[in-house]
Amino acid sequence: MAQLTSYAWLPYKPDSIQNSIPTSMASSAPSQHTVEFFRNAAHTVIHGANFMSIANSATRKDGFQLLQEHVAPAAFHNSWQRADPPRCHAHTREAVLEELFDWIVGHIPREAWMAWLNGAAGAGKSAICQSFAELCIARGVKAASFFFFRTDASRNTLDPVIATLAYQIIQLFPETKELIVRTIEANPLIFEQAFETQLDALIVAPIRRLQQADASFTLLLIIDGLDECTEERPQMVLVEAFGKLLRNKDLPLLALFGSRRESHIQMTFNVRHVDGILKQMPLDNNYQAPADIRRFLVERFADIKLTHPQNKRLDSAWPAADHVQQIVEKSSGQFVYASVIVKFASMPSPNPATQLDIVRGLRPAGRTTPFAELDALYRHIFSQVKDIAPALRLLAYNILGSVTYVKRAFYFFDIREDEAESIFAPLASVLSYDAETARITFHHTSLPDFLKDKERPQEYCISEMGTDLSILWFKNAISGRFKDLSEDDQNFDILRFLDCAKGCPDLRALILYYPPPQTPWAYKTDFFPPVILRRIREIVRAHL
């Protein structure tokens, strides 16, 4: 009698055995649990042999493994990949953090189920969201988070958001794991389906199950850097989906969003079913930002004096109080400016006092880049403006001409006010345009300095646009567009434009053809004729 042995795996089959198995039997599929040899064979005679069965079936992934494959660990608030994430400095931003916490656990009837923490670029929104996530954990509030970041491909799209939040829900409420895993196993392609479908199946369904067992619990979802998602439409889809979900106010679920106040995001939050359940939290002029920035600067400079290798070279009164105040004013309520200065001053090799003098423009920067982080932020914002040329022209007119009342610029460029609003809209995170007063307000007073610098803005530099503005001014004057304007609107800005202009054939030809009577109000003043004639003479001579 032959001895039959079955093995689940063996690295090879002896040729003598392999060759002894008929082709018809080698191609037949064995059952999952039982190995059968020579089914339906007749008159088989075998003398002394061992038989081996080799199973080679692929292992199927379970639902939890599929979930993990779609999670973005770098988007967690406590991810090691977000080494030293931005967070609020001690004893700063306390007012906004406490207001957020009161919104979550307050004892008054809830009216808002979504909150939008918004502000200018560099206002500290991500730091607040990070600190608030940590505060919630410390105080026992259940919170899951997703931190977008535009330069990290694992967390700059909408794709991993639901999986990442669902994974954290399992960690917070282990009893939800079975339902979430079973849902994924029943529909392994769920992560290829619409955002709302994923939201309903992997977040809403588990929460409703929890709600049945305990109606008193609350789950907070923190979604920061919404504007860091690479495309505008997915940003809007995310807000719209949560707005539709929460408008019925029947879920123990709250959502906090942090983003810049981009125009398309503002529109999405203004939708009726979203606006009715929304708590807006603008940072620009609230929550004592200047006082917090001053406290941050004083404490960080004190740390530098205590820990820096060259601290013995620092005067006991360094930095001067008025220097700190200058930084506070230049920050315009946005933490990013103060933060980059502190980082630059705290570099371990150079003398901090020297570094601060470079920032203040008292020493040449040389090969150092004190505002590299801020410059990268500004350049990214300007890179998102599709029609950048008219935006730069209007800003150049405003900054080089020192004009705050921009209707003169609209007339100068022959553009309508509604066109100007569209031009300025993509720059809402760094400036605001008030149509009623026709004035531009820079959220960062450092932005004009950036744009005028000949190296920092790269292709967005306006420092040499004085030539183009001067050429257009003379064309307008020659065509008679200024002569019927009032004295205040007659456009004296040519004096400033010429200060930034360089001689060229087109400008020289227009200067020589310029008829002064076209700007009669300007020529009635005591200063205009001699100043403009002197500048014209200098430019013409320089060209010759």
Side-chain angles (χ1 to χ4, degrees):
M1 178 69 74
Q3 180 181 358
L4 303 182
T5 306
S6 173
Y7 292 91
W9 179 87
L10 196 69
Y12 69 93
K13 293 181 180 179
D15 291 341
S16 60
I17 297 176
Q18 177 69 35
N19 295 335
S20 68
I21 301 176
T23 303
S24 61
M25 282 188 279
S27 62
S28 63
S31 65
Q32 183 175 0
H33 301 293
T34 304
V35 178
E36 297 186 27
F37 296 94
F38 315 117
R39 174 181 292 184
N40 300 323
H43 310 295
T44 301
V45 177
I46 300 174
H47 297 283
N50 293 328
F51 292 88
M52 290 156 284
S53 171
I54 300 176
N56 193 27
S57 60
T59 303
R60 182 179 178 182
K61 296 177 181 177
D62 64 28
F64 194 61
Q65 289 174 311
L66 290 173
L67 174 67
Q68 292 178 85
E69 288 180 356
H70 291 84
V71 170
F76 298 159
H77 86 277
N78 58 352
S79 171
W80 72 266
Q81 297 180 57
R82 296 177 63 237
D84 190 24
R87 53 171 57 88
C88 301
H89 187 70
H91 309 300
T92 66
R93 296 304 204 186
E94 292 178 342
V96 64
L97 290 171
E98 286 303 320
E99 183 174 330
L100 278 170
F101 197 78
D102 286 344
W103 169 60
I104 300 296
V105 300
H107 299 295
I108 59 175
R110 185 178 307 286
E111 296 181 358
W113 298 75
M114 297 170 60
W116 181 29
L117 187 70
N118 60 81
K125 301 175 293 296
S126 292
I128 292 172
C129 287
Q130 175 71 30
S131 293
F132 187 58
E134 296 171 357
L135 178 66
C136 286
I137 292 172
R139 296 187 181 182
V141 174
K142 303 292 188 181
S145 58
F146 191 100
F147 285 76
F148 284 99
F149 194 60
R150 65 177 178 272
T151 60
D152 184 345
S154 73
R155 54 187 176 113
N156 64 2
T157 68
L158 202 59
D159 297 343
V161 171
I162 296 300
T164 305
L165 295 174
Y167 178 87
Q168 293 173 79
I169 289 174
I170 290 175
Q171 308 309 308
L172 294 169
F173 306 100
E175 59 269 36
T176 63
K177 182 176 180 178
E178 181 181 355
L179 176 58
I180 293 174
V181 168
R182 192 168 61 244
T183 300
I184 296 171
E185 290 176 344
N187 183 7
L189 296 181
I190 190 169
F191 297 111
E192 304 300 322
Q193 295 179 325
F195 183 85
E196 287 192 29
T197 301
Q198 297 181 45
L199 176 64
D200 185 63
L202 300 180
I203 293 182
V204 177
I207 289 175
R208 290 202 184 279
R209 180 73 61 85
L210 290 170
Q211 188 179 21
Q212 293 174 2
D214 179 8
S216 65
F217 89 99
T218 299
L219 173 64
L220 169 67
L221 302 181
I222 301 174
I223 301 174
D224 177 63
L226 182 61
D227 50 280
E228 300 273 308
C229 188
T230 51
E231 297 181 4
E232 292 184 0
R233 184 55 196 159
Q235 300 170 18
M236 300 169 73
V237 165
L238 194 153
V239 175
E240 290 168 356
F242 276 98
K244 291 177 183 177
L245 173 64
L246 298 175
R247 63 184 172 184
N248 294 326
K249 303 180 181 181
D250 62 345
L251 278 174
L253 180 67
L254 303 175
L256 167 64
F257 296 90
S259 81
R260 295 195 291 264
R261 199 164 42 248
E262 306 288 3
S263 55
H264 64 282
I265 298 178
Q266 178 75 67
M267 286 178 59
T268 309
F269 278 112
N270 285 344
V271 173
R272 186 179 295 107
H273 68 262
V274 174
D275 184 59
I277 57 172
L278 180 67
K279 175 182 178 64
Q280 292 229 26
M281 301 183 69
L283 292 175
D284 293 343
N285 299 308
N286 296 303
Y287 308 111
Q288 304 171 347
D292 282 346
I293 292 173
R294 183 181 295 103
R295 183 178 298 108
F296 164 76
L297 288 168
V298 170
E299 293 186 8
R300 290 303 303 273
F301 282 134
D303 291 341
I304 292 173
K305 291 167 69 174
L306 179 65
T307 63
H308 198 276
Q310 297 195 39
N311 57 2
K312 291 183 173 57
R313 298 180 183 275
L314 298 174
D315 187 270
S316 60
W318 180 88
D322 59 332
H323 296 170
V324 173
Q325 182 59 27
Q326 288 171 9
I327 299 172
V328 172
E329 293 173 358
K330 203 77 168 178
S331 296
S332 308
Q334 323 305 337
F335 265 79
V336 63
Y337 183 80
S339 178
V340 297
I341 288 178
V342 166
K343 287 181 181 179
F344 187 68
S346 61
M347 293 173 64
S349 296
N351 186 322
T354 301
Q355 297 291 86
L356 194 55
D357 285 346
I358 291 173
V359 169
R360 298 180 60 232
L362 302 180
R363 292 175 181 265
R367 298 172 64 182
T368 62
T369 53
F371 297 110
E373 182 179 339
L374 186 61
D375 294 350
L377 174 63
Y378 286 155
R379 285 196 297 268
H380 169 71
I381 292 169
F382 278 88
S383 72
Q384 303 303 299
V385 181
K386 295 178 180 178
D387 196 5
I388 190 62
L392 289 176
R393 284 196 295 268
L394 282 168
L395 290 175
Y397 187 101
N398 179 271
I399 294 169
L400 300 180
S402 298
V403 179
T404 56
Y405 184 67
V406 293
K407 279 190 177 180
R408 281 162 52 181
F410 302 161
Y411 183 83
F412 185 84
F413 292 111
D414 193 20
I415 62 174
R416 302 190 310 271
E417 289 187 36
D418 60 325
E419 292 176 318
E421 288 188 46
S422 299
I423 290 171
F424 287 134
L427 295 170
S429 61
V430 290
L431 60 85
S432 60
Y433 167 65
D434 188 332
E436 294 185 3
T437 62
R439 294 181 183 275
I440 294 176
T441 301
F442 292 105
H443 299 321
H444 300 255
T445 56
S446 61
L447 181 61
D449 295 338
F450 164 80
L451 292 171
K452 289 189 294 183
D453 194 281
K454 294 185 177 180
E455 296 182 0
R456 293 169 56 195
Q458 298 175 6
E459 67 267 37
Y460 309 115
C461 176
I462 66 169
S463 64
E464 296 185 358
M465 292 181 69
T467 302
D468 293 336
L469 292 172
S470 297
I471 288 173
L472 183 55
W473 189 93
F474 281 109
K475 286 182 177 180
N476 282 335
I478 291 169
S479 69
R481 294 196 73 232
F482 293 152
K483 65 180 181 180
D484 295 328
L485 294 177
S486 66
E487 182 175 359
D488 290 337
D489 293 331
Q490 184 116 120
N491 207 304
F492 295 89
D493 303 308
I494 183 59
L495 302 179
R496 293 184 180 274
F497 297 158
L498 287 174
D499 284 338
C500 307
K502 292 184 177 180
C504 67
D506 288 346
L507 180 56
R508 180 175 181 272
L510 289 167
I511 288 173
L512 294 176
Y513 189 71
Y514 164 61
Q518 296 291 359
T519 53
W521 286 105
Y523 265 85
K524 286 183 180 180
T525 65
D526 293 333
F527 69 90
F528 187 87
V531 173
I532 191 171
L533 290 174
R534 184 176 67 252
R535 289 295 296 123
I536 288 173
R537 189 180 303 114
E538 291 171 355
I539 289 176
V540 172
R541 285 178 177 175
H543 180 66
L544 294 176

